[in-house]
Amino acid sequence: MPLQGFRRLKSGNPHEYWAAVCKKDNFQWITVELGWATLEVLIEPYYPKRGNGRPPYPLSSMLRIHCLQQWYSLSDLAAEEALYETTPMRRFAQLSLDHAIPDHTTIMNFRHLLERYELGRQIFETVNGWLEDARILLKEGSAIDATIIDAPCSIKNKLGTRDPEMHQTKIGNQWYFGRAT
């Protein structure tokens, strides 16, 4: 199941913290709180070095992309598309549209490298340990495409009631009625 959000449990702090993972502040928290360098040291001996053909993408970016794949249940191709389309994910992976974004083959090769040297389990256990120490609870959910489909404003079914899947939203000063696809 894809990851929906983190919840910081009360630990001497009078306020609980709750935010969807896709929000910028949560990705910043993950960037600051988790010891990414520890994981990079684990992977670095196996990661391709400069000088052997095309320069590799930064290890920190590839590791963060791998985590996004796990948290959001993204395929290699979906991870590539998310990096192009989702600014918070791109920032979290320390990438920019000004420079090349790893393609799905590069992402797949990194995943295979982790599998070949059995590093995935170690990464999983390390990240879970960090989250447990920080008293973070992972919640599951799903990401949806909130594309607005235009529909007449008085959709009613045979029972004379409004379709429960239909909702309204306001964009600027214009109201729309429809449903997410």
Side-chain angles (χ1 to χ4, degrees):
M1 288 260 165
L3 175 72
Q4 175 62 33
F6 289 105
R7 180 178 180 161
R8 181 177 289 241
L9 301 176
K10 290 183 181 178
S11 58
N13 185 348
H15 304 288
E16 285 189 328
Y17 177 70
W18 168 256
V21 165
C22 64
K23 289 189 179 175
K24 181 180 170 186
D25 60 343
N26 238 354
F27 278 128
Q28 287 176 342
W29 181 86
I30 294 169
T31 301
V32 171
E33 295 288 328
L34 300 184
W36 294 101
T38 306
L39 294 176
E40 292 171 22
V41 167
L42 182 70
I43 302 167
E44 197 274 328
Y46 309 104
Y47 195 67
K49 310 292 185 261
R50 276 190 167 295
N52 298 333
R54 184 178 67 162
Y57 288 94
L59 174 57
S60 60
S61 294
M62 296 306 297
L63 176 59
R64 290 163 188 250
I65 293 168
H66 181 72
C67 288
L68 288 172
Q69 280 188 281
Q70 300 308 306
W71 294 335
Y72 287 99
S73 297
L74 299 173
S75 67
D76 301 324
L77 184 58
E80 177 188 0
E81 291 173 0
L83 291 170
Y84 277 106
E85 297 172 3
T86 311
T87 302
M89 287 186 179
R90 193 170 46 252
R91 283 187 191 140
F92 175 72
Q94 300 175 332
L95 297 170
S96 166
L97 290 178
D98 296 338
H99 304 304
I101 301 279
D103 66 357
H104 64 279
T105 303
T106 304
I107 295 170
M108 176 195 66
N109 289 338
F110 183 76
R111 185 172 44 81
H112 287 174
L113 175 116
L114 297 179
E115 291 168 358
R116 185 177 325 119
Y117 296 104
E118 300 178 1
L119 300 172
R121 172 61 57 190
Q122 293 173 45
I123 291 169
F124 176 77
E125 290 171 356
T126 303
V127 171
N128 278 351
W130 290 336
L131 295 174
E132 186 176 310
D133 291 346
R135 297 185 43 91
I136 301 296
L137 174 67
L138 295 180
K139 304 222 16 137
E140 294 179 350
S142 60
I144 62 165
D145 177 7
T147 303
I148 297 171
I149 306 298
D150 213 9
C153 62
S154 62
I155 300 292
K156 297 202 175 193
N157 58 23
K158 291 179 182 178
L159 299 174
T161 60
R162 193 173 295 277
D163 185 341
E165 292 184 12
M166 303 298 272
H167 301 282
Q168 63 186 21
T169 189
K170 185 177 183 182
I171 300 176
N173 287 330
Q174 179 71 39
W175 281 93
Y176 296 90
F177 185 76
R179 65 184 181 101
T181 58

